[in-house]
Amino acid sequence: MTWTIFRPEEGIFLADGNGHTLRLQLPPSYTFEYSPQPIIDSAVSNSLYVQSPLVDKLFFGILPRDPELKLPDYHIGTGSDVYHTMYTLDPTGIATKKTRDNRHPALAPKCLFGFSDISPLVCAMLRGLDPKNTLARLPIPAEYTVGLQTQQEGFVIFRRRLNRFIAAPQYTVTLTLPVPYMIEEVREMYHAMMREFPEWEDEVLANKQINNRSSKFLARTLENWTICTDYFKGIYEMTGPTFYRDLMASHLKNAVNWWHQAWHRMRVGKERDNYGLRDYIAEGMHLYWDYLELVVEDMESKGWLRVPREKMREAWVVMIFRGFCWWRCHWMMEGDGMCEAPPRLPSEYYGDMRRVNDPDTEGGFVVVLAGEEAIDV
């Protein structure tokens, strides 16, 4: 359900969705009306959202953390939330300044190119771990949540650049370095998904399915996501629990540059092969691979000097692939555009509790706006 009328200063609330309607009037009348409606074919209806207290956070602009990676929740519902989040990730302030400078006020003032990667990198597996449950639709926590890890161009260029990375001379000619194990593993998982599931690379096909995705597809994607999550849990045994957060921050710090730099490269005739896909988005994923060495250098500037550079490159590849897997298990886009304003509430109201008197009894009950079940009192 989403709050379509939300005026806490007046005590007036109206929510509907998933076949239910909730009307709440606080002082002076204290009225409450709840009207469940039957849902036809609810298992496959693309209008349904995944339902859980964690998913509720998205309605408030909060990204629910993945406890496996020991991350906190991050607030991204407003511009100030975004800048504060970037500052917590990069206390130097450089990432915050880059994020602010790379917004495009003429094209889409609320779009945050590159920063949108944070959703799949931070969030838990919100649709749950049961592949038989095909619900995948999530609320939108910010105006711009769709990034290169959702779109066909991002997938295709990632695959091709990964193949090129593995074919580099140090791995194939001079043999001075072995190909990192998990980079080979990612390539194998990626190609297996591509061979078996056309919706893996094609986001148009995947998005048509929304809540009716193949349980086999979801099971395989979840398996790959879990392998990548376990990889980072293993790294924590060597590095401690801040490694992934710092890697994500270093990636975002550079990723926010892609949109402007992609268009600049096209204007001066330096764009790379787009394989018949949208040129500026394809160029964006090329730039992600270009940024990889900058990510490694940024990690070293944070003190990760004892982690070999090859290990950091490997970890970046695993992180990006894990983001692909997360997106193919979820759907978070409205309308034809990517900058739609979602029905989102201020984050400070998450978990807010409102008492409603019951005129038919001596007691009443508490309505929790999100995050818990209602509590009888």
Side-chain angles (χ1 to χ4, degrees):
M1 299 174 70
T2 62
W3 292 103
T4 54
I5 298 177
F6 187 80
R7 302 204 295 270
E9 67 283 355
E10 302 174 48
I12 300 174
F13 307 88
L14 172 65
D16 55 36
N18 285 350
H20 303 267
T21 300
L22 172 68
R23 291 181 179 87
L24 181 63
Q25 174 73 55
L26 295 182
S29 61
Y30 287 103
T31 59
F32 176 79
E33 176 187 344
Y34 175 65
S35 304
Q37 300 293 329
I39 302 174
I40 299 174
D41 201 12
S42 61
V44 298
S45 171
N46 282 336
S47 67
L48 297 180
Y49 288 95
V50 177
Q51 299 180 41
S52 80
L54 284 179
V55 173
D56 282 349
K57 291 184 178 183
L58 296 173
F59 282 114
F60 292 79
I62 303 170
L63 297 179
R65 66 188 181 90
D66 185 346
E68 298 279 1
L69 296 182
K70 305 185 185 305
L71 297 171
D73 291 344
Y74 289 104
H75 292 219
I76 65 169
T78 66
S80 59
D81 284 342
V82 167
Y83 300 143
H84 177 73
T85 289
M86 286 300 274
Y87 186 79
T88 61
L89 290 171
D90 178 35
T92 68
I94 295 173
T96 303
K97 183 178 186 304
K98 285 185 175 182
T99 305
R100 184 181 287 111
D101 292 347
N102 279 287
R103 300 188 84 160
H104 197 292
L107 174 70
K110 296 182 179 180
C111 285
L112 290 168
F113 301 103
F115 177 82
S116 54
D117 288 353
I118 195 172
S119 297
L121 301 185
V122 164
C123 287
M125 183 56 62
L126 298 176
R127 58 164 301 278
L129 303 179
D130 181 3
K132 295 179 181 178
N133 172 17
T134 60
L135 283 178
R137 187 183 185 192
L138 300 176
I140 306 173
E143 280 80 358
Y144 191 72
T145 54
V146 177
L148 298 183
Q149 289 172 292
T150 66
Q151 299 176 80
Q152 185 175 13
E153 291 81 359
F155 277 73
V156 171
I157 302 304
F158 177 84
R159 167 171 53 86
R160 290 182 176 272
R161 288 293 299 260
L162 178 62
N163 290 338
R164 187 189 308 175
F165 181 86
I166 293 174
Q170 65 267 32
Y171 301 132
T172 59
V173 179
T174 61
L175 303 180
T176 52
L177 291 172
V179 178
Y181 167 76
M182 272 302 293
I183 289 183
E184 286 277 22
E185 187 75 7
V186 165
R187 179 168 68 170
E188 290 302 315
M189 289 188 287
Y190 190 107
H191 282 262
M193 292 297 292
M194 184 179 66
R195 288 191 299 268
E196 192 167 353
F197 303 105
E199 64 266 42
W200 169 248
E201 282 196 338
D202 188 345
E203 91 277 5
V204 174
L205 180 57
N207 289 344
K208 284 180 180 178
Q209 298 167 344
I210 306 180
N211 285 337
N212 193 24
R213 298 181 180 182
S214 157
S215 59
K216 184 177 180 181
F217 172 73
L218 289 172
R220 288 283 297 281
T221 308
L222 174 60
E223 179 184 352
N224 294 339
W225 180 88
T226 303
I227 290 171
C228 294
T229 302
D230 289 344
Y231 166 83
F232 283 107
K233 289 163 64 177
I235 283 184
Y236 282 1
E237 296 178 3
M238 175 180 69
T239 65
T242 61
F243 178 83
Y244 181 88
R245 184 201 64 192
D246 285 350
L247 180 68
M248 177 182 68
S250 295
H251 167 74
L252 294 174
K253 182 178 179 179
N254 289 282
V256 295
N257 296 317
W258 82 259
W259 195 88
H260 284 285
Q261 292 185 357
W263 281 103
H264 173 73
R265 290 183 66 88
M266 289 191 298
R267 283 195 299 268
V268 299
K270 292 185 177 180
E271 69 272 23
R272 272 73 62 96
D273 199 339
N274 57 47
Y275 303 98
L277 302 171
R278 288 172 293 182
D279 48 8
Y280 72 100
I281 299 178
E283 186 61 31
M285 184 52 75
H286 279 298
L287 285 165
Y288 273 20
W289 279 92
D290 295 347
Y291 298 151
L292 177 52
E293 294 310 305
L294 297 177
V295 169
V296 171
E297 291 172 7
D298 194 58
M299 287 289 284
E300 291 180 337
S301 74
K302 297 173 183 177
W304 293 105
L305 298 173
R306 298 181 64 182
V307 179
R309 285 191 156 209
E310 284 302 300
K311 175 58 71 174
M312 287 194 277
R313 295 184 186 105
E314 177 188 65
W316 180 85
V317 169
V318 175
M319 181 180 71
I320 299 300
F321 177 73
R322 183 176 178 272
F324 286 141
C325 294
W326 189 92
W327 268 117
R328 285 299 182 257
C329 288
H330 301 95
W331 187 85
M332 194 193 288
M333 186 171 76
E334 297 288 347
D336 296 327
M338 295 182 292
C339 305
E340 303 289 333
R344 190 178 59 252
L345 305 181
S347 59
E348 61 265 26
Y349 287 106
Y350 180 79
D352 191 70
M353 302 175 70
R354 305 285 166 132
R355 181 185 175 86
V356 180
N357 291 331
D358 187 342
D360 298 325
T361 69
E362 296 181 356
F365 52 89
V366 172
V367 174
V368 183
L369 299 185
E372 303 285 349
E373 300 293 334
I375 305 171
D376 293 327
V377 295

